[in-house]
Structures are given as C-alpha cells and as structure tokens.
Amino acid sequence: MEETPAGTPKRPSLARRLRGFARGDEISLIVLGVVVGAAAGFFAAAILRAALFLHEHLYGLTRLSAMDRLASPRQALIPALGGLLVGLSLILARRWRPGRPVDPIEANALRGGEMSLADSAVIVAQTTISNGFGASVGLEAAYTQMGSGFASFLGKRIGVRRADLRTLVGCGAAGAIAAAFSAPLTGAFYAFELVLGAYTPFGLAPVCAAAVAGAVTARLFGAAPELVKIPDPGLSFGAFDAALLLGLAAACALFGVAIMRCATFVEKLFQRTRLPLLLHPVVGGLIVGALAIFSPHVLSSGHEAAFDLFGEDAPERGVLAATILAKAVAAAVSVGSSFRGGLFFASLYLGALCGWLFALVEAVLLPYAPIDGWTSALIGMVSLAVAVVGGPLTMSFLALEATRNLSLSLFVLAASALSSLIVRRTFGYSFATWRLHLRGESIRGAQDVGWMRDLTVGRLMRRDVDCAPVDAPLDAVAALYPLGAAQWIAAIDGDGSYRGLVFLPDVHLRRAEAGGGTPLGALARLPDLTLAPQMNAQAAARLFERAECEALAVLDERRRVVGLLTEGWLLRRYAQALETARRDLAGDPGAREAE
C-alpha cells in the first residue's frame, strides 16, 4: 500500500488494481474473456447494422445477394464508387499510419498478441465500405479484427502477461465469430485452430466464455443471424455414397486453392499495370459491377443467396455453373484489387453452390442412387471453407450447429479432414497465412509463435570466431592455435571471404602425418553450407541435419564470417524454448509467475 507524505495509507490506482486482478489467477482471465467476448458481439452487431444500412440506401434492399436482377443498370457502378472511397482511405491510412496493419493470426504468431486498436478501426471502416457498396467480400474479417483489436488494447492497458494477452486476442476472435454465426462452438474452435494455434486446458474456459458472451450479446442487439437450416436428409450413407462425397470434398479443396492463387494473380496483375493505388479498387469495382448485371449473387458476401440456396426450391440448373464462376471471379477480383474483407462466408456460399451442382450432375449420371442436394451442398460448403479459411474442426462444428445432426456432422468432419490434408500437401497455406507468406513472413499458422521467430542464428551464434588464411601452412596454424586453444577455425582468402571450416584437431593430426607445409584449405569443410544471421532455429536445425557437421559458420551478405554456431548449443537452446512454450501454453503457474 502506498503512503502519502503525512504517513496515511493511499489506495492504489485503478490501473494498478486492475493489473493485480488480471494477474491474480485463472478466474480473472475468464472474467476478462467474458468482457472481451461481449464487446466483440457488440462490435459485430454494429458493423452488420452499418453494412445493411448501406445496402438499403444504395440498392434499396438489405437482402443484397438474393436479388434476381439489379433495379437499374446504374447500380452496377456502386461497387466502383465504393472502390474510390476504399482507395482514398488506403492512401490516407498510409500517410496517417505508415506501418502495415496486423491481423489476429499474425499478432498472436509473431507479436505476442499486440495489435493496434486504431489500425483495427481503419480496417473495419474499409471492410464495411467494401461490403456495403457490394464488393464480393465478407464482414467476418472486420468482426475478428475489431474484437481482437479491442482485446489486445484492453490487455495492454491493464498489463496482462504475454501469454494471457495472446489468449485474450483469441477470446476476441471467438466472440466475433460466435456473434457472426450465432454459433459458440464454431467461435471457440475458430480461436483455437486459427488464432491461438492450439487447444490448451488453460485457454478453454476464457475462450468458451468469450464465445458464449459474443453470441448472447449479438442476439440481445438483434444482429445474430439464424444459421442456414439444412433439412435432415434421413440418409444412411453407403460406401459408394461416401466415396462420391469425399470426391466432392477433394474437388472443393482444389477449387479453394485455385481461388487463392487467382486472388494473388489479380493482385500481381494490378501491380504490373502501374495504376495508382487509388484506382485499383475502382477498376475492381467496375468488374464486380459488370458481373452483377448478369448475376447479382456476386454482390456482398452471399449470406442471403445462401439462405435461398437452402430453401425449399432447388436452384435452377442453367445458372448454377455460371454463378459459381462469376462469384469466384468477383471474390478474387475484390480481394486482389485492394477491397478490404475476407472470404469466410464467400467460401461457404461457393462451396454450397459446388455441392448443389455436384448433386445435379450426379442425379443425371446415376439416376438410380441420387445423393440429396442439401447434403452435398453441406459437404461442399464445409470442404471449400476449410480449404480457404482453414480449421477443419471449426467448420465441422459449424455444420453441427447448423444441422443439429450428429451423424451427418461426423461425416462432415471426415470431409473437412480430407480437404485440409489435400490443401496442406498441395498448397500448404490458408488464405490468411498465404497472404502473410507473400509479404515475406515465414509462418504457416498461429502455432508458429513469436519465440520461434525470435530464436535466430544471430542471437545464438558465437561472435569470437578464429580465422586463418586459406593458404597458411599447417605448421603456422598449429603454432598459433595449440590443441585446446580453439575447436574450429574459419579459413578465409585474401579479401576475407569464407572458404570453409576447419576442425583444429585435424590440423595437428594432418601436420604429424603429411608434414606442416600442407595449406589449411586442404582441410576446409563445407564451403557452401553456411548459416545467415536472420535464419530461425528450425531452418538452422534442418541445415545441420543436411550438413552432418557439428558446427557451421555464419556469414553476412558479403560472405564475411560474423559468427559460429554449433549444433549442440542450437539444440539445447531450442529445447529450452520448447519447454518454456509448453509450460506457457499449459498455463503452468511457475511459468506465469516467472514472467
């Protein structure tokens, strides 16, 4: 307790009391999770209301993607107008906030959960404009960005631990997704699989509490949409039916990879045109508007069109394939032309379309054993979403909460696992981590946490490396370095360039056997297998395994020796970091107190 100059006790400040509460025990983190989840639900409701307001005042109705045709050809220009606003905001944001915004996955993987609330607000505004003006993107990215951004802001203000901050960011994402789909299980496992990167007993209670709080709050504000209700097909799948549906899952996985690559291709195409950044979303909006003339289902994320798709009437066969192509192109163009938003619900809608098309084609080819269209639509919806978004358990729980059918959801889990396996083996990324990879980041998911990135060769290496000329005779080297004086010597040429690593005991042994006039370079090992200071521990360990050597030299960009790293020291530090991370994830009290 602090004391005033007169000696009377002074009550600690509110910030200090909150810090003490947050660092008290697990109960405090659960309370914070509820607060964060409720805030995420409120933000999701507000963002949805704003987007629907734009839909109603720009297009005359809120069920935008369910329109049969545009009320006027002039409405095809609305996405381009939204693109102009997004382009202006991108330019202003670069001047106001020169740093690149960080999403929840990157924040938890690389930055210990640190996000900027101001950057999150800018992204939310850009996403709302993009979706509200009809770009083929969803609002789920804005929900998670704002929920997680607020969680990070709150956690930093009250001084929670690094591990707790990551958990709070996951709580924000869980509350946001739960609010978006009125599905707490989906929200919780979205956080575990995509944001936190692992399920932990320590994180279970706060994340689940945040998901429930987010869904309840969204319902209180009347903004939690009902999930698509899929009728119970009442089918018992045989082996042949299962094989067909797993084939659909595999096809959707490959289609998802194609969509991600197409979005990247469009983005690079815009960069090659050398158009000003201001015009990128304008051109993208013109393309989306042109597609909307033929199929308004390409507008926005596709929520309303998905509801109609699972209605009583089956979709028309003639337009189904065209709608799939148009929606895929519109989504890729929207993302590639710098509109803000994600592909979460767009991938769900596209997958459902693919499933219906599969059912219609299968009914023609195999009329005696048709698969129910709703069932194939569900399998397609989940499989494509797993390919693009990731998270097989997340999508499986989404199917469970949508259908209330446990037996069907178990088959959905098998399809989700197959889709995830195919994407991981053929592509290796979800959409979010693929875009991080294109920016030069090395992570493949939230499980690649920041300590791995920080554990670099530059931090682990020894800098006091003994060097000798590559043409120096062994007699001179042995005289300069007696046994025990060093273990490894770097051989360098006249301008200081690295020529190989020499084991000092080999120098004395070869000198005794072949004479002291032999040049040092004759004993140099692995001149081309070297390390760089920026390499992380995983990459260095793989190189050691390839080299089959106990030590490797660390070189700069001019091939000058800047350090030396041994495999034994690398593995020891790597094991220490793994143990620290394991204790941190498990909520080990000792690890929490030691921070």
Side-chain angles (χ1 to χ4, degrees), residues 142-440:
Y143 299 162
T144 57
Q145 185 73 35
M146 197 63 195
S148 297
F150 172 77
S152 180
F153 169 80
L154 178 64
K156 288 186 293 185
R157 287 298 299 267
I158 63 179
V160 300
R161 299 175 178 85
R162 178 186 176 97
D164 294 345
L165 184 61
R166 294 184 73 248
T167 302
L168 279 183
V169 169
C171 290
I177 294 299
F181 294 98
S182 192
L185 284 174
T186 302
F189 275 85
Y190 179 92
F192 287 132
E193 289 191 294
L194 300 175
V195 180
L196 295 173
Y199 161 81
T200 65
F202 174 70
L204 176 64
V207 169
C208 290
V212 173
V216 170
T217 303
R219 289 174 185 173
L220 290 176
F221 283 94
E226 287 294 326
L227 280 173
V228 175
K229 292 300 185 292
I230 302 171
D232 187 349
L235 296 178
S236 58
F237 297 113
F240 185 67
D241 296 328
L244 288 176
L245 290 175
L246 290 177
L248 169 63
C252 287
L254 297 177
F255 185 41
V257 172
I259 292 173
M260 291 186 281
R261 288 196 177 277
C262 184
T264 303
F265 171 77
V266 172
E267 185 175 8
K268 292 182 178 179
L269 192 63
F270 272 103
Q271 293 172 352
R272 291 173 184 171
T273 61
R274 297 184 180 179
L275 283 173
L277 178 62
L278 174 66
L279 297 181
H280 288 190
V282 174
V283 175
L286 290 173
I287 296 173
V288 172
L291 292 170
I293 294 176
F294 298 98
S295 176
H297 299 316
V298 305
L299 296 173
S300 188
S301 60
H303 277 83
E304 298 79 17
F307 275 97
D308 289 351
L309 189 64
F310 286 98
E312 295 182 358
D313 298 327
E316 298 180 7
R317 298 180 184 181
V319 300
L320 200 55
T323 303
I324 292 174
L325 179 61
K327 180 64 178 177
V329 172
V333 168
S334 297
V335 173
S337 62
S338 299
F339 276 107
R340 286 290 190 184
L343 296 179
F344 196 125
F345 204 92
S347 63
L348 291 172
Y349 175 50
L350 271 171
L353 289 173
C354 292
W356 265 110
L357 181 61
F358 174 85
L360 296 177
V361 172
E362 188 266 346
V364 173
L365 298 178
L366 301 170
Y368 299 104
I371 295 178
D372 182 80
W374 288 313
T375 301
S376 60
L378 177 67
I379 297 299
M381 178 179 75
V382 173
S383 300
L384 186 57
V386 168
V388 175
V389 181
L393 284 176
T394 300
M395 300 308 167
S396 298
F397 278 111
L398 180 61
L400 174 62
E401 292 179 291
T403 63
R404 311 295 196 271
N405 188 322
L406 181 60
S407 60
L408 184 59
S409 296
L410 292 176
F411 189 80
V412 167
L413 178 60
S416 300
L418 177 62
S419 176
S420 177
L421 175 64
I422 291 174
V423 173
R424 189 168 63 249
R425 298 293 297 176
T426 60
F427 190 59
Y429 300 90
S430 66
F431 184 70
T433 53
W434 171 240
R435 293 179 71 79
L436 291 175
H437 169 73
L438 294 176
R439 291 198 291 258

Side-chain angles (χ1 to χ4, degrees), residues 507-542:
V507 172
H508 290 269
L509 180 63
R510 183 68 176 270
R511 170 173 171 266
E513 292 178 351
T518 305
L520 182 66
L523 305 181
R525 307 180 183 184
L526 306 173
D528 298 322
L529 283 178
T530 60
L531 301 170
Q534 65 272 17
M535 276 186 179
N536 61 35
Q538 281 184 321
R542 287 194 296 267

Side-chain angles (χ1 to χ4, degrees), residues 452-524:
M452 184 66 69
R453 184 183 177 93
D454 294 338
L455 200 64
T456 61
V457 169
R459 293 185 59 186
L460 300 177
M461 68 183 184
R462 288 181 48 192
R463 299 183 181 274
D464 53 337
V465 186
D466 296 298
C467 300
V470 67
D471 56 356
L474 297 184
D475 277 340
V477 176
L480 187 61
Y481 298 103
L483 282 173
Q487 239 188 337
W488 298 92
I489 300 173
I492 57 175
D493 57 20
D495 61 356
S497 297
Y498 176 72
R499 296 290 297 275
L501 206 59
V502 179
F503 191 45
L504 183 59
D506 288 347
V507 172
H508 290 269
L509 180 63
R510 183 68 176 270
R511 170 173 171 266
E513 292 178 351
T518 305
L520 182 66
L523 305 181

